[in-house]
Amino acid sequence: MTQRLVLIALAALSLLAAWTIASAVATAKVPWPEVALPPDAVSYEIGEQINMDGIPLRMRGFDTSASPEQTAAWFRQHMARPVVENKVGAALVLGREQNGYYVTVQLSQAPEGGGTRGVASVADATTGMAQRDSYRAANNRLLASLPSGTELVSAMTSIDERRNARFVMLINRYSEEVNRERVRDLLRQEGMELEREARAADAGADVLATLPPGTTSGIALFFKGKGREAIAVISRLPDSRASIVLNTVTTMETYQ
């Protein structure tokens, strides 16, 4: 699920990048827009609050019995113009700016075949622009705890049912052992201790799904502390760089 959320959010942000910064700053703050769905769509929530790379998002999944082509035609007819279209992998993403927000609809073939699986996203780009300095500062603090030259690929937070989850993906050119020690030190400073480690493939499908495309194995490290737990997956990419995927979950009671 975590990897799926990242792919969905990155799809939305790929179109958001086409929207100029100037328009985001100039637009006054207005209520979040609603995204109309086809009449036969069955919708479901995807998290209560999501923040992707510093931009607040609201996301809602839906399924329809119509084909992706038919569903895309419905949105082209019902979304206000202009609509920007882009292909992200096998998915079609339609997007448009709307009063300081960026609305996207991602459509792909349903796994069962015949129907469409979609995600409607609304990105609050105005707020994202306003808080970008604090977001960068938080990322710089994270990078300062890791080996020099480490790059942040993506960062996402999600609050759902009193659980605050943070997912980050980083890359560098250090060994798995160096990264293991630095991640352990980082999480120890946050009150978590390493409980066990295993090959990612042995840790279960959910952990294996966090591996970036192109990797087939990795080391999974499991950490735990008071009201907090984390899983770090360290793997090697085809170009020999190391990938660090860190998923930290904090219960809201921790803050009380």
Side-chain angles (χ1 to χ4, degrees):
M1 177 60 76
T2 301
Q3 184 187 49
R4 180 166 173 260
L5 284 176
V6 171
L7 293 175
I8 291 168
L10 287 175
L13 294 178
S14 70
L15 285 183
L16 177 59
W19 181 25
T20 64
I21 292 176
S23 66
V25 174
T27 306
K29 187 68 174 177
V30 296
W32 288 76
E34 297 289 336
V35 182
L37 300 179
D40 68 331
V42 178
S43 64
Y44 50 90
E45 296 289 344
I46 303 180
E48 296 176 6
Q49 300 178 49
I50 297 173
N51 186 298
M52 183 68 181
D53 290 338
I55 299 177
L57 294 171
R58 290 187 179 180
M59 308 172 71
R60 191 170 187 83
F62 63 91
D63 295 308
T64 74
S65 58
S67 69
E69 294 77 13
Q70 293 171 321
T71 307
W74 188 93
F75 278 104
R76 291 188 187 104
Q77 181 179 357
H78 290 82
M79 290 180 72
R81 305 291 177 86
V83 175
V84 179
E85 297 191 21
N86 191 22
K87 290 287 288 187
V88 180
L92 173 66
V93 184
L94 300 88
R96 69 176 302 271
E97 182 273 334
Q98 185 172 332
N99 297 325
Y101 297 88
Y102 204 82
V103 177
T104 59
V105 177
Q106 176 180 319
L107 306 172
S108 57
Q109 186 77 45
E112 300 78 11
T116 301
R117 174 152 295 175
V119 177
S121 306
V122 180
D124 184 354
T126 303
T127 298
M129 291 297 299
Q131 63 186 20
R132 62 178 177 174
D133 289 342
S134 60
Y135 169 76
R136 288 174 179 172
N139 288 340
N140 288 337
R141 288 193 295 272
L142 169 65
L143 293 173
S145 300
L146 296 170
S148 175
T150 299
E151 301 175 25
L152 178 67
V153 177
S154 64
M156 181 182 72
T157 59
S158 174
I159 299 176
D160 189 7
E161 295 182 356
R162 302 179 68 80
R163 289 164 62 88
N164 187 330
R166 186 165 192 248
F167 177 96
V168 295
M169 185 181 297
L170 309 109
I171 55 173
N172 61 36
R173 295 192 177 277
Y174 293 84
S175 68
E176 287 86 345
E177 185 60 28
V178 168
N179 283 312
R180 176 187 179 278
E181 293 305 310
R182 296 298 288 272
V183 168
R184 187 180 67 173
D185 291 343
L186 168 65
L187 295 180
R188 179 175 290 164
Q189 293 172 15
E190 296 183 5
M192 288 175 279
E193 293 291 340
L194 177 63
E195 285 198 323
R196 62 185 179 91
E197 59 183 272
R199 289 195 309 118
D202 296 332
D206 289 344
V207 173
L208 190 61
T210 65
L211 293 173
T215 60
T216 57
S217 63
I219 303 173
L221 309 174
F222 298 82
F223 299 82
K224 197 154 189 178
K226 184 178 180 180
R228 310 191 75 184
E229 58 186 40
I231 300 176
V233 180
I234 302 172
S235 56
R236 186 65 60 180
L237 297 171
D239 62 3
S240 81
R241 291 181 300 172
S243 164
I244 307 168
V245 177
L246 179 60
N247 191 10
T248 305
V249 176
T250 304
T251 59
M252 298 305 291
E253 286 77 9
T254 301
Y255 300 111
Q256 296 179 354

